[in-house]
mmCIF file of all heavy atoms in Angstrom:
data_model
loop_
_atom_site.group_PDB
_atom_site.id
_atom_site.type_symbol
_atom_site.label_atom_id
_atom_site.label_comp_id
_atom_site.label_asym_id
_atom_site.label_seq_id
_atom_site.Cartn_x
_atom_site.Cartn_y
_atom_site.Cartn_z
ATOM 1 N N ASP F 442 88.858 94.300 109.189
ATOM 2 C CA ASP F 442 87.890 93.646 108.247
ATOM 3 C C ASP F 442 87.814 94.321 106.877
ATOM 4 O O ASP F 442 86.774 94.244 106.166
ATOM 5 C CB ASP F 442 86.509 93.598 108.885
ATOM 6 C CG ASP F 442 86.505 92.797 110.150
ATOM 7 O OD1 ASP F 442 87.190 91.830 110.224
ATOM 8 O OD2 ASP F 442 85.820 93.301 111.141
ATOM 9 N N ILE F 443 88.865 95.020 106.460
ATOM 10 C CA ILE F 443 88.761 95.802 105.278
ATOM 11 C C ILE F 443 88.721 94.883 103.984
ATOM 12 O O ILE F 443 88.008 95.229 103.048
ATOM 13 C CB ILE F 443 89.973 96.796 105.188
ATOM 14 C CG1 ILE F 443 89.604 97.886 104.155
ATOM 15 C CG2 ILE F 443 91.289 96.110 104.769
ATOM 16 C CD1 ILE F 443 90.511 99.130 104.277
ATOM 17 N N ASP F 444 89.388 93.766 104.021
ATOM 18 C CA ASP F 444 89.261 92.843 102.894
ATOM 19 C C ASP F 444 87.838 92.316 102.722
ATOM 20 O O ASP F 444 87.343 92.258 101.555
ATOM 21 C CB ASP F 444 90.249 91.681 103.059
ATOM 22 C CG ASP F 444 91.688 92.008 102.753
ATOM 23 O OD1 ASP F 444 91.875 92.879 101.879
ATOM 24 O OD2 ASP F 444 92.585 91.411 103.292
ATOM 25 N N GLN F 445 87.203 91.959 103.824
ATOM 26 C CA GLN F 445 85.786 91.552 103.744
ATOM 27 C C GLN F 445 84.900 92.630 103.201
ATOM 28 O O GLN F 445 83.943 92.391 102.477
ATOM 29 C CB GLN F 445 85.342 91.082 105.114
ATOM 30 C CG GLN F 445 83.920 90.564 105.169
ATOM 31 C CD GLN F 445 83.428 90.186 106.513
ATOM 32 O OE1 GLN F 445 84.100 90.374 107.493
ATOM 33 N NE2 GLN F 445 82.190 89.573 106.653
ATOM 34 N N TRP F 446 85.163 93.858 103.739
ATOM 35 C CA TRP F 446 84.396 95.024 103.305
ATOM 36 C C TRP F 446 84.495 95.210 101.835
ATOM 37 O O TRP F 446 83.524 95.459 101.132
ATOM 38 C CB TRP F 446 84.803 96.252 104.037
ATOM 39 C CG TRP F 446 83.895 97.476 103.999
ATOM 40 C CD1 TRP F 446 82.814 97.691 104.895
ATOM 41 C CD2 TRP F 446 83.842 98.501 103.085
ATOM 42 N NE1 TRP F 446 82.151 98.874 104.536
ATOM 43 C CE2 TRP F 446 82.782 99.392 103.356
ATOM 44 C CE3 TRP F 446 84.631 98.713 101.887
ATOM 45 C CZ2 TRP F 446 82.521 100.472 102.614
ATOM 46 C CZ3 TRP F 446 84.344 99.925 101.178
ATOM 47 C CH2 TRP F 446 83.319 100.758 101.464
ATOM 48 N N CYS F 447 85.764 95.107 101.361
ATOM 49 C CA CYS F 447 85.952 95.249 99.828
ATOM 50 C C CYS F 447 85.239 94.190 99.091
ATOM 51 O O CYS F 447 84.578 94.476 98.030
ATOM 52 C CB CYS F 447 87.490 95.206 99.563
ATOM 53 S SG CYS F 447 88.387 96.643 100.068
ATOM 54 N N ASP F 448 85.282 93.000 99.572
ATOM 55 C CA ASP F 448 84.561 91.873 98.901
ATOM 56 C C ASP F 448 83.082 92.182 98.824
ATOM 57 O O ASP F 448 82.369 91.922 97.780
ATOM 58 C CB ASP F 448 84.855 90.560 99.601
ATOM 59 C CG ASP F 448 86.240 89.994 99.400
ATOM 60 O OD1 ASP F 448 86.907 90.424 98.443
ATOM 61 O OD2 ASP F 448 86.637 89.213 100.261
ATOM 62 N N GLN F 449 82.553 92.647 99.883
ATOM 63 C CA GLN F 449 81.123 92.984 99.928
ATOM 64 C C GLN F 449 80.760 94.164 99.001
ATOM 65 O O GLN F 449 79.721 94.113 98.359
ATOM 66 C CB GLN F 449 80.709 93.324 101.380
ATOM 67 C CG GLN F 449 80.680 92.144 102.295
ATOM 68 C CD GLN F 449 80.404 92.526 103.751
ATOM 69 O OE1 GLN F 449 80.568 93.738 104.124
ATOM 70 N NE2 GLN F 449 79.977 91.545 104.576
ATOM 71 N N PHE F 450 81.694 95.119 98.956
ATOM 72 C CA PHE F 450 81.485 96.253 97.999
ATOM 73 C C PHE F 450 81.487 95.716 96.531
ATOM 74 O O PHE F 450 80.630 96.097 95.733
ATOM 75 C CB PHE F 450 82.515 97.254 98.194
ATOM 76 C CG PHE F 450 82.302 98.566 97.427
ATOM 77 C CD1 PHE F 450 81.657 99.608 98.042
ATOM 78 C CD2 PHE F 450 82.696 98.620 96.100
ATOM 79 C CE1 PHE F 450 81.439 100.771 97.336
ATOM 80 C CE2 PHE F 450 82.431 99.785 95.339
ATOM 81 C CZ PHE F 450 81.792 100.903 95.933
ATOM 82 N N PHE F 451 82.488 94.880 96.263
ATOM 83 C CA PHE F 451 82.572 94.312 94.874
ATOM 84 C C PHE F 451 81.251 93.643 94.546
ATOM 85 O O PHE F 451 80.737 93.801 93.397
ATOM 86 C CB PHE F 451 83.707 93.328 94.769
ATOM 87 C CG PHE F 451 85.108 94.002 94.838
ATOM 88 C CD1 PHE F 451 86.159 93.298 95.389
ATOM 89 C CD2 PHE F 451 85.342 95.254 94.358
ATOM 90 C CE1 PHE F 451 87.414 93.774 95.491
ATOM 91 C CE2 PHE F 451 86.547 95.856 94.462
ATOM 92 C CZ PHE F 451 87.628 95.110 94.990
ATOM 93 N N ALA F 452 80.741 92.836 95.359
ATOM 94 C CA ALA F 452 79.523 92.046 95.143
ATOM 95 C C ALA F 452 78.313 92.906 94.935
ATOM 96 O O ALA F 452 77.476 92.722 94.062
ATOM 97 C CB ALA F 452 79.262 91.054 96.206
ATOM 98 N N LEU F 453 78.230 93.986 95.826
ATOM 99 C CA LEU F 453 77.143 94.923 95.697
ATOM 100 C C LEU F 453 77.088 95.668 94.387
ATOM 101 O O LEU F 453 76.073 95.826 93.753
ATOM 102 C CB LEU F 453 77.238 95.890 96.900
ATOM 103 C CG LEU F 453 75.963 96.704 97.257
ATOM 104 C CD1 LEU F 453 74.813 95.829 97.638
ATOM 105 C CD2 LEU F 453 76.285 97.694 98.349
ATOM 106 N N GLU F 454 78.286 96.220 94.013
ATOM 107 C CA GLU F 454 78.411 96.952 92.800
ATOM 108 C C GLU F 454 78.180 96.046 91.567
ATOM 109 O O GLU F 454 77.507 96.479 90.653
ATOM 110 C CB GLU F 454 79.817 97.621 92.752
ATOM 111 C CG GLU F 454 79.963 98.602 91.602
ATOM 112 C CD GLU F 454 81.333 99.147 91.503
ATOM 113 O OE1 GLU F 454 82.334 98.378 91.462
ATOM 114 O OE2 GLU F 454 81.509 100.404 91.388
ATOM 115 N N ALA F 455 78.732 94.962 91.609
ATOM 116 C CA ALA F 455 78.677 94.011 90.377
ATOM 117 C C ALA F 455 77.222 93.481 90.139
ATOM 118 O O ALA F 455 76.901 93.128 89.027
ATOM 119 C CB ALA F 455 79.644 92.832 90.558
ATOM 120 N N ALA F 456 76.445 93.470 91.227
ATOM 121 C CA ALA F 456 75.011 93.057 91.076
ATOM 122 C C ALA F 456 74.166 94.017 90.434
ATOM 123 O O ALA F 456 73.022 93.723 90.073
ATOM 124 C CB ALA F 456 74.503 92.700 92.445
ATOM 125 N N GLY F 457 74.581 95.283 90.291
ATOM 126 C CA GLY F 457 73.795 96.281 89.689
ATOM 127 C C GLY F 457 74.154 96.626 88.224
ATOM 128 O O GLY F 457 74.705 95.832 87.537
ATOM 129 N N TRP F 458 73.724 97.859 87.839
ATOM 130 C CA TRP F 458 73.876 98.205 86.465
ATOM 131 C C TRP F 458 75.367 98.236 86.058
ATOM 132 O O TRP F 458 75.681 98.049 84.871
ATOM 133 C CB TRP F 458 73.213 99.512 86.214
ATOM 134 C CG TRP F 458 73.856 100.761 86.881
ATOM 135 C CD1 TRP F 458 73.549 101.298 88.104
ATOM 136 C CD2 TRP F 458 74.899 101.551 86.306
ATOM 137 N NE1 TRP F 458 74.369 102.354 88.321
ATOM 138 C CE2 TRP F 458 75.160 102.542 87.250
ATOM 139 C CE3 TRP F 458 75.626 101.556 85.144
ATOM 140 C CZ2 TRP F 458 76.141 103.541 87.056
ATOM 141 C CZ3 TRP F 458 76.541 102.515 84.921
ATOM 142 C CH2 TRP F 458 76.829 103.538 85.901
ATOM 143 N N LYS F 459 76.210 98.661 86.928
ATOM 144 C CA LYS F 459 77.671 98.705 86.585
ATOM 145 C C LYS F 459 78.200 97.319 86.258
ATOM 146 O O LYS F 459 79.036 97.131 85.330
ATOM 147 C CB LYS F 459 78.488 99.272 87.679
ATOM 148 C CG LYS F 459 78.315 100.783 87.841
ATOM 149 C CD LYS F 459 79.336 101.365 88.842
ATOM 150 C CE LYS F 459 79.218 102.860 88.914
ATOM 151 N NZ LYS F 459 80.179 103.478 89.882
ATOM 152 N N GLY F 460 77.721 96.290 86.960
ATOM 153 C CA GLY F 460 78.143 94.949 86.617
ATOM 154 C C GLY F 460 77.587 94.510 85.234
ATOM 155 O O GLY F 460 78.319 93.914 84.471
ATOM 156 N N ALA F 461 76.294 94.885 84.950
ATOM 157 C CA ALA F 461 75.746 94.549 83.684
ATOM 158 C C ALA F 461 76.461 95.257 82.554
ATOM 159 O O ALA F 461 76.619 94.778 81.397
ATOM 160 C CB ALA F 461 74.236 94.892 83.673
ATOM 161 N N ALA F 462 76.910 96.483 82.780
ATOM 162 C CA ALA F 462 77.624 97.246 81.776
ATOM 163 C C ALA F 462 79.115 96.951 81.721
ATOM 164 O O ALA F 462 79.758 97.411 80.751
ATOM 165 C CB ALA F 462 77.464 98.764 82.081
ATOM 166 N N GLY F 463 79.607 96.071 82.569
ATOM 167 C CA GLY F 463 81.004 95.713 82.608
ATOM 168 C C GLY F 463 81.961 96.794 83.127
ATOM 169 O O GLY F 463 83.134 96.738 82.964
ATOM 170 N N SER F 464 81.364 97.753 83.884
ATOM 171 C CA SER F 464 82.224 98.860 84.442
ATOM 172 C C SER F 464 82.429 98.782 85.964
ATOM 173 O O SER F 464 83.022 99.652 86.560
ATOM 174 C CB SER F 464 81.543 100.216 84.115
ATOM 175 O OG SER F 464 80.291 100.321 84.683
ATOM 176 N N ALA F 465 81.908 97.697 86.572
ATOM 177 C CA ALA F 465 82.140 97.541 88.024
ATOM 178 C C ALA F 465 83.586 97.232 88.276
ATOM 179 O O ALA F 465 84.346 96.725 87.443
ATOM 180 C CB ALA F 465 81.289 96.374 88.590
ATOM 181 N N LEU F 466 84.097 97.630 89.468
ATOM 182 C CA LEU F 466 85.465 97.430 89.834
ATOM 183 C C LEU F 466 85.879 95.983 89.676
ATOM 184 O O LEU F 466 87.005 95.750 89.160
ATOM 185 C CB LEU F 466 85.715 97.967 91.247
ATOM 186 C CG LEU F 466 85.625 99.461 91.463
ATOM 187 C CD1 LEU F 466 85.452 99.763 92.997
ATOM 188 C CD2 LEU F 466 86.811 100.191 90.861
#
Side-chain angles (χ1 to χ4, degrees):
D442 301 321
I443 201 165
D444 282 330
Q445 180 184 8
W446 195 90
C447 289
D448 290 339
Q449 291 174 338
F450 188 96
F451 291 149
L453 197 61
E454 188 184 51
W458 69 267
K459 286 188 177 181
S464 61
L466 291 165

